[in-house]
Amino acid sequence: PAAVSWYDEFQRLYDTIPCIEVQALKEHNDQVLHLSFSHSGCLFASCSKDCTVKIWSNELDISLQHSSNMRPYNWSYTQFSQFNSDDSLLLVSGVFVGPHNSSSGEIAVISMENFTLLSRVRNKPYDVFGCWLNETNLISGNLHRIGRITSCSVLWLNNAFQGIESENVNVVKRLFKIQNLNASTIRTVMVADCSRYDSPDLLLDYEEQLAASSTSTCPVFDLGSDSEEEEAKPKQDLEPAVQELPDDGGVTAEDGLQQFFDDIMEGRVRPAMTETELETKVAELFIRNRTKPPEVNLLSTESNSKTKYLIFTTGCLTYSPHQIGIKRILPHQMTTAGPVLGEERRSDEFFDSLDHVIDIHGHIIGMGLSPDHRYLYVNSRAWPRDCVISDPMQPPPIAEEIDLHVFDLKTMKEVKRALRAHRAYTPNEECFFIFLDVSRDFVASGAEDRHGYIWDRHYNICLAKLQHDNVVNSVAFSPVEQELLLTASDDTTIKVWRSPRMVRIQQARKPRPRKLLFSWLMNQKS
């Protein structure tokens, strides 16, 4: 929309893409998994399978400033990091040493003033990652098993300074408690700040794009109905996820369920379902009778100046993450003050409901917010179109091609066709996160095909492929200069990419070495 001429657009797309490798950082000695910039752009952090988190100084020639080894804390590796809003603290997420099927992790908070470790918080499952809610409070997760495929995810608000002692402020407080069906869990939490919506740095919903989005194959559904499966189907073909129990003179679903169990135990009825199906149906009925209703409509026009969204991956059909859950965080929930377990709950509000769910119909392997927090970008590997999931422990096969979806968090609609070019090859049970990043004009992502990719946010076109020798796990734009991009790979390197324009400017600034021999010869001739 801001383009003046096609020539200027060609020059922008040719000259400002960070596609020239200017430096390779090789201080890690194992796979590099994640990169994150400070908000000022002066520092960035890297996490690796070598179990260190390294902090780098972002100058003309990038240099290592500090390295923290997390092995003394029984960590297996570091996997994610995030600077708080004033860049004074660094959140680092890691995985505990343990058996292969262990899901426990921990979050550490490091001071950027002297690189001291301030606090550590348990985090389960480890791929919740964790995130900052504000300058001093971070969100972690915990998982409680209820049955073989049913669990409860609890999200906690933690004060970064766990050593504080106050009769008015706790160091932790429970935020939300959400029941999980069919072996799904909450993972990959992030926070979107709604106050930025009124002044977005880029609007994607042009009229033709809105028209195209109406034919999207990735529907978005409100969780205003009573069942989980209802939202996963088109509106015109709604079926209840749980068959209603026979109406016996106004008997409630809970009473009917008890009678159903009694009939089974006394041999009057033989259940025509597997143990897994029975557990799921019981959990669905329990959700109906023990879940707090959703908050007010997220699409309301009331002021969002102090509202934030908690965004995470979840599911309802199988353990692989295939839905995005959205939960509004109200102003009074943004502090650890008050009861540790949160507000008083009635017996019929044992669990919190989600305010909104986006169904991806595929395995989600990455998420990222635009700088203005208006748009959510999602990496996913699609399931077959008409697949049916009969066993939650056997998810459908996933495509090698990665789809990059774009959702408008103000309208909760998909606003662009999926971006494509990058690929992944690992099967469902071994699938891992591919981190992406978004700048004002570009979006970048890693891939398993040994390349990083850059797309233009205006035209949906792939602009560049950035080569590595192995899987590219993470990418990060400088928040103050989108013509600088970092990529991290399993080849143990971090590569620094700058645009042709920036390379020319930097070369012009470098003093040229004096050609002493040539000067001497010229003097001799004279």
Side-chain angles (χ1 to χ4, degrees):
V4 176
S5 69
W6 282 114
Y7 177 78
D8 290 340
E9 279 297 270
F10 170 78
Q11 191 172 34
R12 177 181 73 84
L13 294 175
Y14 175 80
D15 219 23
T16 65
I17 304 164
C19 58
I20 298 177
E21 181 185 339
V22 296
Q23 197 173 354
L25 309 174
K26 301 182 179 181
E27 279 78 353
H28 283 290
N29 55 36
D30 207 336
Q31 301 169 5
V32 188
L33 302 180
H34 184 257
L35 298 164
S36 64
F37 267 100
S38 63
H39 295 82
S40 67
C42 297
L43 301 173
F44 68 88
S46 58
C47 295
S48 168
K49 281 287 184 75
D50 66 13
C51 206
T52 66
V53 54
K54 299 186 187 298
I55 293 114
W56 308 78
S57 178
N58 181 26
E59 300 169 345
L60 188 58
D61 285 321
I62 292 170
S63 59
L64 180 63
Q65 193 171 86
H66 178 78
S67 180
S68 292
N69 181 13
M70 302 304 291
R71 289 201 193 280
Y73 305 103
N74 202 35
W75 286 27
S76 177
Y77 58 89
T78 60
Q79 59 171 352
F80 174 84
S81 65
Q82 185 183 44
F83 289 85
N84 70 341
S85 57
D86 65 2
D87 295 334
S88 63
L89 303 172
L90 179 68
L91 176 155
V92 182
S93 176
V95 180
F96 274 144
V97 173
H100 177 68
N101 60 353
S102 173
S103 63
S104 294
E106 194 171 58
I107 296 170
V109 178
I110 298 175
S111 168
M112 288 293 97
E113 183 179 358
N114 51 17
F115 303 114
T116 56
L117 182 64
L118 298 178
S119 59
R120 291 157 55 204
V121 175
R122 288 296 179 99
N123 192 38
K124 185 177 181 178
Y126 58 78
D127 50 3
V128 168
F129 293 121
C131 66
W132 291 105
L133 177 60
N134 48 43
E135 287 184 9
T136 57
N137 293 301
L138 59 100
I139 296 172
S140 66
N142 201 358
L143 185 66
H144 303 279
R145 294 290 175 189
I146 298 175
R148 191 176 73 88
I149 58 169
T150 309
S151 63
C152 173
S153 287
V154 181
L155 297 172
W156 291 90
L157 187 64
N158 308 266
N159 195 297
F161 303 96
Q162 296 277 308
I164 64 172
E165 295 183 6
S166 170
E167 61 183 21
N168 298 318
V169 180
N170 304 308
V171 293
V172 297
K173 186 173 77 173
R174 186 173 67 192
L175 263 182
F176 304 118
K177 184 166 57 174
I178 297 168
Q179 184 169 0
N180 305 310
L181 299 175
N182 290 319
S184 64
T185 61
I186 286 178
R187 319 177 194 204
T188 321
V189 297
M190 61 178 58
V191 172
D193 186 352
C194 306
S195 64
R196 306 188 193 183
Y197 291 179
D198 293 332
S199 54
D201 58 18
L202 176 67
L203 279 175
L204 297 178
D205 53 346
Y206 315 132
E207 289 183 2
E208 60 270 24
Q209 290 168 351
L210 283 176
S213 71
S214 64
T215 60
S216 168
T217 60
C218 186
V220 183
F221 304 102
D222 264 324
L223 272 189
S225 58
D226 290 331
S227 70
E228 293 276 336
E229 285 186 4
E230 218 170 38
E231 284 74 40
K233 298 179 181 179
K235 291 291 183 182
Q236 64 270 23
D237 187 27
L238 293 179
E239 295 179 8
V242 183
Q243 293 183 356
E244 294 292 340
L245 296 169
D247 187 0
D248 189 12
V251 175
T252 65
E254 190 172 1
D255 293 337
L257 179 62
Q258 184 61 54
Q259 182 178 341
F260 179 57
F261 285 151
D262 291 343
D263 289 343
I264 292 176
M265 296 300 293
E266 296 175 15
R268 293 192 294 268
V269 174
R270 174 168 292 184
M273 61 185 75
T274 66
E275 183 179 337
T276 297
E277 291 170 335
L278 181 60
E279 180 181 329
T280 299
K281 290 189 178 295
V282 170
E284 287 171 339
L285 284 170
F286 192 75
I287 287 176
R288 288 190 181 191
N289 291 278
R290 291 289 184 268
T291 299
K292 186 177 180 180
E295 298 291 344
V296 294
N297 185 6
L298 298 188
L299 304 182
S300 62
T301 56
E302 65 185 47
S303 174
N304 287 326
S305 60
K306 294 183 179 180
T307 302
K308 294 183 179 182
Y309 291 161
L310 183 64
I311 301 171
F312 46 84
T313 63
T314 182
C316 65
L317 303 175
T318 180
Y319 67 81
S320 62
H322 55 277
Q323 292 179 322
I324 298 166
I326 299 176
K327 185 69 179 170
R328 185 196 297 259
I329 306 176
L330 300 175
H332 73 273
Q333 296 173 309
M334 298 184 192
T335 172
T336 55
V340 171
L341 297 181
E343 301 170 352
E344 289 268 345
R345 291 170 179 260
R346 302 197 309 266
S347 61
D348 60 346
E349 295 182 350
F350 188 80
F351 295 111
D352 294 292
S353 59
L354 305 187
D355 296 327
H356 207 82
V357 160
I358 300 173
D359 194 355
I360 299 297
H361 193 74
H363 192 129
I364 299 169
I365 60 169
M367 294 198 302
L369 289 165
S370 59
D372 57 14
H373 287 205
R374 171 73 180 266
Y375 299 97
L376 177 68
Y377 287 72
V378 181
N379 268 336
S380 75
R381 295 174 62 183
W383 291 337
R385 182 179 295 273
D386 299 317
C387 67
V388 176
I389 301 175
S390 56
D391 182 355
M393 305 310 293
Q394 298 289 331
I398 50 179
E400 288 187 354
E401 189 171 50
I402 302 173
D403 295 327
L404 183 49
H405 302 279
V406 190
F407 296 96
D408 185 341
L409 292 178
K410 190 168 185 178
T411 63
M412 296 296 171
K413 292 181 178 179
E414 188 169 13
V415 293
K416 275 182 173 287
R417 62 178 175 81
L419 308 178
R420 288 176 178 164
H422 49 333
R423 305 182 75 84
Y425 307 109
T426 51
N428 221 324
E429 64 276 7
E430 300 173 16
C431 201
F432 55 87
F433 224 65
I434 300 288
F435 291 96
L436 59 94
D437 198 21
V438 188
S439 70
R440 174 182 166 81
D441 295 311
F442 306 128
V443 55
S445 174
E448 291 184 39
D449 57 13
R450 303 184 179 187
H451 289 87
Y453 288 81
I454 303 174
W455 293 265
D456 182 74
R457 291 180 65 192
H458 302 274
Y459 302 121
N460 291 351
I461 53 174
C462 183
L463 300 172
K465 292 175 66 176
L466 312 175
Q467 188 164 4
H468 274 266
D469 294 329
N470 211 323
V471 172
V472 178
N473 295 304
S474 180
V475 297
F477 286 102
S478 165
V480 296
E481 181 49 78
Q482 67 176 1
E483 295 179 47
L484 168 63
L485 177 72
L486 307 175
T487 55
S489 171
D490 279 359
D491 63 15
T492 76
T493 65
I494 301 169
K495 289 190 175 183
V496 184
W497 308 83
R498 296 188 186 274
S499 67
R501 188 181 73 88
M502 289 300 297
V503 169
R504 288 198 308 273
I505 292 173
Q506 290 177 2
Q507 288 175 344
R509 289 175 180 170
K510 287 184 178 180
R512 295 181 180 179
R514 297 180 63 183
K515 299 181 180 179
L516 299 178
L517 180 60
F518 180 76
S519 299
W520 180 80
L521 289 173
M522 293 299 293
N523 290 333
Q524 292 298 315
K525 287 183 179 180
S526 61

